[in-house]
Amino acid sequence: MYVNTKDILEKASKEYYAVPAFNINNMEFFHAILDGALEKRAPLIIETSEGAIKYAGNGDILKGARYFVELVRLFADSVDIPIALHLDHGKHFEYIIAAIKAGYSSVMIDASEEPFEENMKKTKEIVKIAHAAGVSVEAELGQLAGVEDNVSAEESVLVDPQQAKIFVEETGVDFLAPAIGTSHGAFKFKGDAKLDFERLKTVKELTKRPLVLHGASSVLPEYVKLAEEYGADLGGAKGVPEEELKKCVELGINKVNTDTDLRIAFIAGLRKYLKENPKEFDPRHYLGAGKKLVKEVVMNRLEFLGAAGKA
Ligand SMILES: O=C(COP(=O)(O)O)N(O)CCCCO
Ligand code: NA
Ligand SMILES: [Zn+2]
């Protein structure tokens, strides 16, 4: 069934597990993710960036938003696991309103690059509109470094836990993404992963809200290796080790944004299939090879984050 993201996350927050939020840009990734969640009997959060909406709508924002709502609801309404659709990194009013109008479960207002007061002001405005439409809201405090889609920042600025308390109380935001050292994309760290667990623990204590980890892909070595075996150039790729993610869940992370891991799995499956099947040109077959590995990654992530069996 199609649900509000807040319902999925409040339960996860109470029981200290996490639900991955998987990004999609097209139908194939959605089907692979859905199959994985059904097999694992897990709640499912599907999310789309503004770029994905523009892509699916062939440039038309409202069409793109409606495309994803239709696609997700078509399947969500006929399965017995809870499924939510979330606008990821809503930076532009036009996309946030289009998502609300189209029927998204929740929207992120990402004003994290603005000064604190400005972030608070914009978030308050979106919370008022979204809540009036029964839509839940995510916001981000502090900044991730790294680049992916149109989301980039030079330096990562870690969240200030005291500010986080004021922020959630003033804005009424439903779930918060505190920056604790991760970054988007496949090249997250120069050396070892450095997440500020103490800071995360304090944010949870002070806000008592479901928390979101951005830039949470693990960049799994076996999929990087497979993609490189068939011609990909991902040298230096490094993600958040799964045991570090588990620690984040123990400290109160409940939504784990995952995009890069699915992209690497897909390209590995696609490259391998194309190399091994030079005569093949049916998109259902070669895209199917990518889908298969995406489903594997999805099932593994649902399992170790504790979402499996929680539907
Ligand atoms: O935080 C994340 C996931 O990050 P990643 O999967 O790269 O670790 N996202 O918000 C996904 C999309 C980023 C912009 O397109
Ligand atoms: Na988000
Ligand atoms: Zn993100």
Side-chain angles (χ1 to χ4, degrees):
M1 64 300 242
Y2 191 60
V3 301
N4 193 315
T5 316
K6 181 178 176 180
D7 301 340
I8 291 179
L9 294 182
E10 302 237 313
K11 185 168 177 287
S13 189
K14 253 203 258 354
E15 299 173 25
Y16 271 80
Y17 60 89
V19 179
F22 294 113
N23 286 72
I24 63 171
N25 291 288
N26 63 22
M27 175 187 78
E28 283 76 11
F29 275 68
F30 171 61
H31 289 317
I33 294 162
L34 177 63
D35 290 349
L38 284 170
E39 208 160 306
K40 284 293 177 183
R41 312 292 319 139
L44 179 58
I45 301 174
I46 296 289
E47 61 181 15
T48 67
S49 64
E50 293 186 344
I53 286 176
K54 197 161 186 194
Y55 175 76
N58 203 21
D60 182 307
I61 295 172
L62 193 52
K63 284 191 178 70
R66 286 177 54 193
Y67 170 85
F68 285 122
V69 171
E70 294 301 310
L71 174 66
V72 171
R73 291 211 63 153
L74 194 59
F75 291 86
D77 288 346
S78 63
V79 296
D80 62 353
I81 58 170
I83 301 181
L85 175 61
H86 174 73
L87 170 68
D88 188 27
H89 288 293
K91 283 183 177 278
H92 304 94
F93 193 70
E94 197 187 359
Y95 283 90
I96 295 171
I97 298 305
I100 291 170
K101 184 172 158 66
Y104 273 59
S105 310
S106 56
V107 293
M108 177 183 188
I109 161 66
D110 179 0
S112 56
E113 287 170 30
E114 317 266 346
F116 179 68
E117 295 301 331
E118 185 55 25
N119 186 354
M120 204 139 66
K121 182 166 160 284
K122 280 192 175 172
T123 303
K124 243 188 227 171
E125 183 189 19
I126 297 301
V127 166
K128 192 156 169 270
I129 298 166
H131 283 185
V135 171
S136 44
V137 181
E138 173 185 327
E140 180 172 327
L141 262 188
Q143 284 173 34
L144 282 75
V147 184
E148 194 168 309
D149 252 12
N150 60 350
V151 181
S152 73
E154 271 53 56
E155 280 301 300
S156 76
V157 176
L158 301 184
V159 63
D160 169 342
Q162 294 303 334
Q163 274 194 346
K165 178 174 169 49
I166 297 164
F167 188 91
V168 297
E169 286 164 4
E170 285 280 304
T171 62
V173 74
D174 299 291
F175 33 103
L176 182 72
I180 57 165
T182 57
S183 60
H184 290 128
F187 309 95
K188 297 183 192 300
F189 306 99
K190 300 261 177 306
D192 289 339
K194 289 186 290 306
L195 303 188
D196 192 329
F197 294 114
E198 271 315 301
R199 197 178 290 265
L200 169 58
K201 189 164 177 286
T202 314
V203 169
K204 190 72 175 186
E205 282 159 5
L206 293 177
T207 63
K208 298 185 179 32
R209 288 287 191 296
L211 298 180
V212 183
L213 188 66
H214 281 251
S217 278
S218 297
V219 187
L220 299 163
E222 61 266 40
Y223 293 94
V224 172
K225 204 162 127 307
L226 184 66
E228 291 184 325
E229 248 165 71
Y230 292 93
D233 174 6
L234 298 173
K238 184 144 183 51
V240 183
E242 290 179 348
E243 58 278 3
E244 307 250 323
L245 284 178
K246 265 191 170 146
K247 192 138 183 251
C248 290
V249 177
E250 286 159 18
L251 294 171
I253 288 287
N254 308 108
K255 173 173 177 274
V256 175
N257 284 17
T258 307
D259 188 14
T260 297
D261 279 336
L262 305 191
R263 295 180 175 197
I264 291 174
F266 194 91
I267 198 67
L270 178 62
R271 282 181 169 277
K272 180 171 188 302
Y273 187 88
L274 291 178
K275 187 86 177 79
E276 292 176 349
N277 301 275
K279 292 188 173 42
E280 182 56 71
F281 53 89
D282 181 332
R284 292 166 300 178
H285 295 166
Y286 58 76
L287 295 178
K291 280 168 67 175
K292 196 163 157 292
L293 296 194
V294 169
K295 182 183 169 185
E296 276 177 20
V297 168
V298 163
M299 288 171 64
N300 168 61
R301 190 145 273 229
L302 288 167
E303 200 58 61
F304 88 78
L305 291 176
K310 296 284 184 186

Short mmCIF file of all heavy atoms in Angstrom, two decimals, residues 190-240:
data_model
loop_
_atom_site.label_atom_id
_atom_site.label_comp_id
_atom_site.label_asym_id
_atom_site.label_seq_id
_atom_site.Cartn_x
_atom_site.Cartn_y
_atom_site.Cartn_z
N LYS A 190 38.96 10.38 1.17
CA LYS A 190 40.33 10.22 0.64
C LYS A 190 40.91 8.99 1.34
O LYS A 190 41.23 8.00 0.75
CB LYS A 190 41.18 11.46 0.96
CG LYS A 190 40.60 12.73 0.34
CD LYS A 190 41.27 13.11 -0.96
CE LYS A 190 40.58 14.34 -1.58
NZ LYS A 190 39.12 14.20 -1.76
N GLY A 191 40.88 9.03 2.69
CA GLY A 191 41.40 7.86 3.44
C GLY A 191 40.24 7.03 3.94
O GLY A 191 39.31 6.74 3.18
N ASP A 192 40.21 6.69 5.22
CA ASP A 192 39.12 5.91 5.79
C ASP A 192 37.90 6.79 6.06
O ASP A 192 38.04 8.00 6.21
CB ASP A 192 39.58 5.26 7.12
CG ASP A 192 40.58 4.14 6.83
OD1 ASP A 192 40.57 3.65 5.67
OD2 ASP A 192 41.38 3.82 7.72
N ALA A 193 36.74 6.13 6.10
CA ALA A 193 35.50 6.86 6.39
C ALA A 193 35.62 7.49 7.77
O ALA A 193 36.15 6.88 8.69
CB ALA A 193 34.33 5.88 6.36
N LYS A 194 35.21 8.75 7.88
CA LYS A 194 35.25 9.43 9.20
C LYS A 194 33.85 9.99 9.47
O LYS A 194 33.49 11.05 8.94
CB LYS A 194 36.24 10.60 9.17
CG LYS A 194 37.70 10.19 9.10
CD LYS A 194 38.64 11.38 9.23
CE LYS A 194 38.62 12.32 8.01
NZ LYS A 194 38.87 11.63 6.73
N LEU A 195 33.05 9.24 10.22
CA LEU A 195 31.71 9.73 10.58
C LEU A 195 31.74 10.17 12.03
O LEU A 195 32.38 9.53 12.86
CB LEU A 195 30.68 8.61 10.39
CG LEU A 195 30.60 8.00 8.97
CD1 LEU A 195 29.42 7.06 8.88
CD2 LEU A 195 30.48 9.10 7.92
N ASP A 196 31.05 11.27 12.33
CA ASP A 196 31.06 11.82 13.68
C ASP A 196 29.91 11.21 14.48
O ASP A 196 28.82 11.78 14.60
CB ASP A 196 30.94 13.35 13.63
CG ASP A 196 31.24 13.98 14.98
OD1 ASP A 196 30.96 13.31 16.00
OD2 ASP A 196 31.75 15.11 15.01
N PHE A 197 30.15 10.01 15.07
CA PHE A 197 29.10 9.26 15.77
C PHE A 197 28.61 10.00 17.02
O PHE A 197 27.41 10.00 17.33
CB PHE A 197 29.62 7.86 16.15
CG PHE A 197 29.91 6.99 14.96
CD1 PHE A 197 31.21 6.59 14.66
CD2 PHE A 197 28.89 6.59 14.11
CE1 PHE A 197 31.48 5.79 13.56
CE2 PHE A 197 29.15 5.79 12.99
CZ PHE A 197 30.45 5.39 12.72
N GLU A 198 29.52 10.63 17.73
CA GLU A 198 29.14 11.37 18.94
C GLU A 198 28.12 12.46 18.59
O GLU A 198 27.08 12.61 19.24
CB GLU A 198 30.39 12.02 19.59
CG GLU A 198 31.07 11.11 20.59
CD GLU A 198 30.09 10.43 21.54
OE1 GLU A 198 29.35 11.12 22.26
OE2 GLU A 198 30.03 9.18 21.50
N ARG A 199 28.42 13.15 17.52
CA ARG A 199 27.54 14.24 17.06
C ARG A 199 26.14 13.70 16.70
O ARG A 199 25.12 14.27 17.07
CB ARG A 199 28.18 14.91 15.85
CG ARG A 199 27.67 16.26 15.48
CD ARG A 199 28.44 16.79 14.28
NE ARG A 199 29.81 17.14 14.63
CZ ARG A 199 30.18 18.38 14.96
NH1 ARG A 199 29.28 19.35 14.99
NH2 ARG A 199 31.42 18.65 15.27
N LEU A 200 26.15 12.55 16.02
CA LEU A 200 24.88 11.91 15.64
C LEU A 200 24.06 11.55 16.88
O LEU A 200 22.86 11.83 16.97
CB LEU A 200 25.16 10.66 14.80
CG LEU A 200 23.99 9.72 14.51
CD1 LEU A 200 22.85 10.45 13.81
CD2 LEU A 200 24.46 8.53 13.67
N LYS A 201 24.73 10.95 17.86
CA LYS A 201 24.06 10.52 19.11
C LYS A 201 23.39 11.73 19.78
O LYS A 201 22.23 11.67 20.21
CB LYS A 201 25.13 9.89 20.02
CG LYS A 201 24.62 9.22 21.27
CD LYS A 201 25.73 8.30 21.86
CE LYS A 201 25.29 7.66 23.16
NZ LYS A 201 25.29 8.63 24.27
N THR A 202 24.11 12.85 19.81
CA THR A 202 23.58 14.06 20.47
C THR A 202 22.39 14.62 19.70
O THR A 202 21.38 15.01 20.30
CB THR A 202 24.69 15.12 20.57
OG1 THR A 202 25.88 14.51 21.04
CG2 THR A 202 24.29 16.24 21.52
N VAL A 203 22.49 14.60 18.36
CA VAL A 203 21.37 15.11 17.55
C VAL A 203 20.11 14.28 17.83
O VAL A 203 19.02 14.82 18.02
CB VAL A 203 21.70 15.07 16.04
CG1 VAL A 203 20.46 15.34 15.20
CG2 VAL A 203 22.79 16.08 15.70
N LYS A 204 20.28 12.95 17.94
CA LYS A 204 19.11 12.10 18.20
C LYS A 204 18.51 12.42 19.55
O LYS A 204 17.29 12.55 19.68
CB LYS A 204 19.52 10.62 18.14
CG LYS A 204 18.35 9.65 18.16
CD LYS A 204 17.55 9.65 16.86
CE LYS A 204 16.46 8.59 16.84
NZ LYS A 204 15.79 8.52 15.51
N GLU A 205 19.37 12.57 20.55
CA GLU A 205 18.88 12.85 21.91
C GLU A 205 18.13 14.19 21.97
O GLU A 205 17.08 14.30 22.58
CB GLU A 205 20.07 12.90 22.89
CG GLU A 205 20.58 11.53 23.30
CD GLU A 205 22.03 11.58 23.83
OE1 GLU A 205 22.58 12.70 23.96
OE2 GLU A 205 22.59 10.50 24.07
N LEU A 206 18.67 15.18 21.26
CA LEU A 206 18.09 16.53 21.35
C LEU A 206 16.85 16.71 20.46
O LEU A 206 15.98 17.51 20.76
CB LEU A 206 19.15 17.58 20.99
CG LEU A 206 20.33 17.71 21.96
CD1 LEU A 206 21.34 18.74 21.44
CD2 LEU A 206 19.84 18.11 23.35
N THR A 207 16.79 15.97 19.34
CA THR A 207 15.67 16.21 18.41
C THR A 207 14.55 15.18 18.57
O THR A 207 13.40 15.46 18.31
CB THR A 207 16.13 16.14 16.94
OG1 THR A 207 16.62 14.80 16.69
CG2 THR A 207 17.22 17.17 16.65
N LYS A 208 14.92 13.94 18.96
CA LYS A 208 13.96 12.84 19.08
C LYS A 208 13.12 12.68 17.80
O LYS A 208 11.92 12.44 17.86
CB LYS A 208 13.05 13.06 20.29
CG LYS A 208 13.82 13.09 21.60
CD LYS A 208 12.92 13.20 22.81
CE LYS A 208 13.72 13.20 24.13
NZ LYS A 208 15.06 13.82 24.02
N ARG A 209 13.76 12.88 16.66
CA ARG A 209 13.07 12.73 15.36
C ARG A 209 13.70 11.59 14.58
O ARG A 209 14.85 11.23 14.82
CB ARG A 209 13.27 14.01 14.50
CG ARG A 209 12.53 15.22 14.96
CD ARG A 209 11.04 15.13 14.67
NE ARG A 209 10.35 16.40 14.88
CZ ARG A 209 10.23 17.02 16.04
NH1 ARG A 209 10.82 16.52 17.11
NH2 ARG A 209 9.57 18.16 16.13
N PRO A 210 12.95 11.01 13.61
CA PRO A 210 13.60 10.09 12.68
C PRO A 210 14.71 10.85 11.95
O PRO A 210 14.52 12.02 11.58
CB PRO A 210 12.48 9.69 11.71
CG PRO A 210 11.21 9.95 12.47
CD PRO A 210 11.50 11.13 13.34
N LEU A 211 15.88 10.24 11.78
CA LEU A 211 17.01 10.92 11.15
C LEU A 211 17.39 10.24 9.84
O LEU A 211 17.19 9.03 9.67
CB LEU A 211 18.22 10.94 12.10
CG LEU A 211 18.02 11.69 13.42
CD1 LEU A 211 19.30 11.63 14.26
CD2 LEU A 211 17.61 13.15 13.19
N VAL A 212 17.94 11.04 8.95
CA VAL A 212 18.27 10.60 7.59
C VAL A 212 19.78 10.70 7.35
O VAL A 212 20.40 11.70 7.72
CB VAL A 212 17.56 11.49 6.55
CG1 VAL A 212 17.82 11.00 5.13
CG2 VAL A 212 16.07 11.58 6.83
N LEU A 213 20.35 9.65 6.74
CA LEU A 213 21.76 9.73 6.36
C LEU A 213 21.87 9.86 4.84
O LEU A 213 21.41 8.98 4.11
CB LEU A 213 22.53 8.48 6.82
CG LEU A 213 24.05 8.56 6.65
CD1 LEU A 213 24.65 9.63 7.57
CD2 LEU A 213 24.72 7.21 6.92
N HIS A 214 22.44 10.98 4.41
CA HIS A 214 22.69 11.16 2.98
C HIS A 214 24.09 10.66 2.66
O HIS A 214 24.91 10.45 3.56
CB HIS A 214 22.57 12.65 2.61
CG HIS A 214 21.15 13.10 2.47
ND1 HIS A 214 20.58 13.40 1.26
CD2 HIS A 214 20.19 13.26 3.40
CE1 HIS A 214 19.32 13.75 1.45
NE2 HIS A 214 19.05 13.69 2.74
N GLY A 215 24.33 10.40 1.36
CA GLY A 215 25.66 9.94 0.97
C GLY A 215 26.00 8.63 1.65
O GLY A 215 27.11 8.43 2.12
N ALA A 216 25.04 7.72 1.71
CA ALA A 216 25.21 6.50 2.52
C ALA A 216 25.57 5.26 1.70
O ALA A 216 25.62 4.17 2.24
CB ALA A 216 23.93 6.23 3.31
N SER A 217 25.84 5.41 0.40
CA SER A 217 26.23 4.23 -0.37
C SER A 217 27.55 3.66 0.12
O SER A 217 28.44 4.40 0.53
CB SER A 217 26.34 4.57 -1.86
OG SER A 217 25.05 4.55 -2.45
N SER A 218 27.68 2.35 0.06
CA SER A 218 28.92 1.68 0.53
C SER A 218 29.93 1.51 -0.59
O SER A 218 31.09 1.19 -0.33
CB SER A 218 28.56 0.32 1.12
OG SER A 218 27.73 0.50 2.25
N VAL A 219 29.50 1.73 -1.84
CA VAL A 219 30.37 1.56 -3.01
C VAL A 219 31.03 0.17 -2.90
O VAL A 219 32.25 0.03 -2.75
CB VAL A 219 31.42 2.69 -3.09
CG1 VAL A 219 32.22 2.60 -4.38
CG2 VAL A 219 30.73 4.05 -3.02
N LEU A 220 30.22 -0.86 -2.94
CA LEU A 220 30.63 -2.23 -2.65
C LEU A 220 31.73 -2.70 -3.60
O LEU A 220 31.53 -2.69 -4.82
CB LEU A 220 29.40 -3.15 -2.74
CG LEU A 220 28.29 -2.80 -1.74
CD1 LEU A 220 26.97 -3.43 -2.13
CD2 LEU A 220 28.69 -3.19 -0.33
N PRO A 221 32.87 -3.10 -3.05
CA PRO A 221 34.03 -3.45 -3.89
C PRO A 221 33.76 -4.51 -4.94
O PRO A 221 34.24 -4.41 -6.06
CB PRO A 221 35.05 -3.94 -2.86
CG PRO A 221 34.67 -3.30 -1.58
CD PRO A 221 33.17 -3.16 -1.61
N GLU A 222 32.90 -5.51 -4.60
CA GLU A 222 32.70 -6.58 -5.59
C GLU A 222 31.99 -6.06 -6.84
O GLU A 222 32.26 -6.50 -7.95
CB GLU A 222 31.93 -7.77 -4.99
CG GLU A 222 30.53 -7.48 -4.48
CD GLU A 222 30.50 -7.16 -2.99
OE1 GLU A 222 31.42 -6.45 -2.52
OE2 GLU A 222 29.54 -7.59 -2.32
N TYR A 223 31.14 -5.04 -6.66
CA TYR A 223 30.45 -4.50 -7.85
C TYR A 223 31.35 -3.53 -8.61
O TYR A 223 31.32 -3.46 -9.84
CB TYR A 223 29.13 -3.85 -7.42
CG TYR A 223 28.13 -4.84 -6.89
CD1 TYR A 223 28.04 -5.09 -5.53
CD2 TYR A 223 27.33 -5.58 -7.76
CE1 TYR A 223 27.14 -6.03 -5.05
CE2 TYR A 223 26.43 -6.54 -7.27
CZ TYR A 223 26.35 -6.75 -5.92
OH TYR A 223 25.47 -7.70 -5.44
N VAL A 224 32.18 -2.78 -7.86
CA VAL A 224 33.14 -1.89 -8.52
C VAL A 224 34.09 -2.73 -9.36
O VAL A 224 34.33 -2.44 -10.53
CB VAL A 224 33.95 -1.08 -7.46
CG1 VAL A 224 35.08 -0.30 -8.12
CG2 VAL A 224 33.02 -0.14 -6.69
N LYS A 225 34.56 -3.84 -8.79
CA LYS A 225 35.52 -4.71 -9.49
C LYS A 225 34.88 -5.29 -10.77
O LYS A 225 35.47 -5.26 -11.85
CB LYS A 225 35.91 -5.87 -8.54
CG LYS A 225 37.26 -6.50 -8.86
CD LYS A 225 37.74 -7.30 -7.64
CE LYS A 225 38.11 -8.74 -8.01
NZ LYS A 225 37.13 -9.51 -8.71
N LEU A 226 33.64 -5.74 -10.64
CA LEU A 226 32.94 -6.33 -11.79
C LEU A 226 32.76 -5.28 -12.88
O LEU A 226 33.06 -5.53 -14.06
CB LEU A 226 31.56 -6.86 -11.34
CG LEU A 226 30.76 -7.60 -12.41
CD1 LEU A 226 31.48 -8.91 -12.80
CD2 LEU A 226 29.35 -7.90 -11.92
N ALA A 227 32.38 -4.06 -12.50
CA ALA A 227 32.19 -3.00 -13.51
C ALA A 227 33.52 -2.71 -14.21
O ALA A 227 33.58 -2.58 -15.44
CB ALA A 227 31.64 -1.75 -12.83
N GLU A 228 34.61 -2.70 -13.40
CA GLU A 228 35.93 -2.39 -13.99
C GLU A 228 36.42 -3.52 -14.88
O GLU A 228 37.05 -3.27 -15.91
CB GLU A 228 36.93 -2.08 -12.87
CG GLU A 228 36.60 -0.74 -12.18
CD GLU A 228 37.63 -0.34 -11.12
OE1 GLU A 228 38.16 -1.25 -10.45
OE2 GLU A 228 37.90 0.87 -10.98
N GLU A 229 36.05 -4.75 -14.53
CA GLU A 229 36.44 -5.91 -15.36
C GLU A 229 35.89 -5.72 -16.77
O GLU A 229 36.48 -6.17 -17.75
CB GLU A 229 35.82 -7.19 -14.78
CG GLU A 229 36.82 -8.20 -14.18
CD GLU A 229 36.08 -9.21 -13.33
OE1 GLU A 229 35.36 -10.04 -13.92
OE2 GLU A 229 36.17 -9.09 -12.08
N TYR A 230 34.75 -5.06 -16.89
CA TYR A 230 34.12 -4.88 -18.20
C TYR A 230 34.21 -3.45 -18.69
O TYR A 230 33.34 -2.96 -19.38
CB TYR A 230 32.67 -5.40 -18.14
CG TYR A 230 32.64 -6.90 -17.97
CD1 TYR A 230 32.56 -7.46 -16.69
CD2 TYR A 230 32.80 -7.74 -19.06
CE1 TYR A 230 32.59 -8.83 -16.52
CE2 TYR A 230 32.84 -9.12 -18.89
CZ TYR A 230 32.74 -9.66 -17.62
OH TYR A 230 32.79 -11.02 -17.45
N GLY A 231 35.29 -2.76 -18.25
CA GLY A 231 35.60 -1.49 -18.90
C GLY A 231 35.27 -0.22 -18.15
O GLY A 231 35.58 0.87 -18.61
N ALA A 232 34.63 -0.32 -16.97
CA ALA A 232 34.33 0.92 -16.22
C ALA A 232 35.61 1.48 -15.64
O ALA A 232 36.56 0.75 -15.36
CB ALA A 232 33.34 0.61 -15.11
N ASP A 233 35.66 2.78 -15.42
CA ASP A 233 36.82 3.42 -14.79
C ASP A 233 36.35 4.11 -13.52
O ASP A 233 35.89 5.24 -13.54
CB ASP A 233 37.41 4.46 -15.76
CG ASP A 233 38.53 5.25 -15.09
OD1 ASP A 233 38.89 4.90 -13.94
OD2 ASP A 233 39.01 6.23 -15.68
N LEU A 234 36.43 3.35 -12.40
CA LEU A 234 35.92 3.87 -11.11
C LEU A 234 37.05 3.97 -10.10
O LEU A 234 36.82 3.92 -8.89
CB LEU A 234 34.82 2.93 -10.60
CG LEU A 234 33.58 2.80 -11.49
CD1 LEU A 234 32.64 1.72 -10.96
CD2 LEU A 234 32.82 4.13 -11.55
N GLY A 235 38.29 4.14 -10.59
CA GLY A 235 39.44 4.14 -9.68
C GLY A 235 39.25 5.06 -8.50
O GLY A 235 38.77 6.17 -8.64
N GLY A 236 39.58 4.59 -7.31
CA GLY A 236 39.52 5.45 -6.12
C GLY A 236 38.16 5.51 -5.48
O GLY A 236 37.95 6.24 -4.52
N ALA A 237 37.19 4.76 -6.04
CA ALA A 237 35.83 4.81 -5.45
C ALA A 237 35.85 4.29 -4.02
O ALA A 237 36.49 3.29 -3.71
CB ALA A 237 34.89 3.97 -6.30
N LYS A 238 35.17 5.03 -3.11
CA LYS A 238 35.13 4.60 -1.69
C LYS A 238 33.84 5.08 -1.07
O LYS A 238 33.46 6.24 -1.23
CB LYS A 238 36.33 5.23 -0.96
CG LYS A 238 36.46 4.81 0.48
CD LYS A 238 37.91 4.66 0.88
CE LYS A 238 38.01 4.17 2.33
NZ LYS A 238 37.18 2.95 2.63
N GLY A 239 33.20 4.16 -0.34
CA GLY A 239 31.90 4.51 0.27
C GLY A 239 31.93 4.34 1.77
O GLY A 239 33.00 4.25 2.39
N VAL A 240 30.73 4.27 2.36
CA VAL A 240 30.60 4.11 3.82
C VAL A 240 30.54 2.61 4.11
O VAL A 240 29.60 1.93 3.68
CB VAL A 240 29.32 4.79 4.34
CG1 VAL A 240 29.25 4.68 5.85
CG2 VAL A 240 29.26 6.26 3.91
#
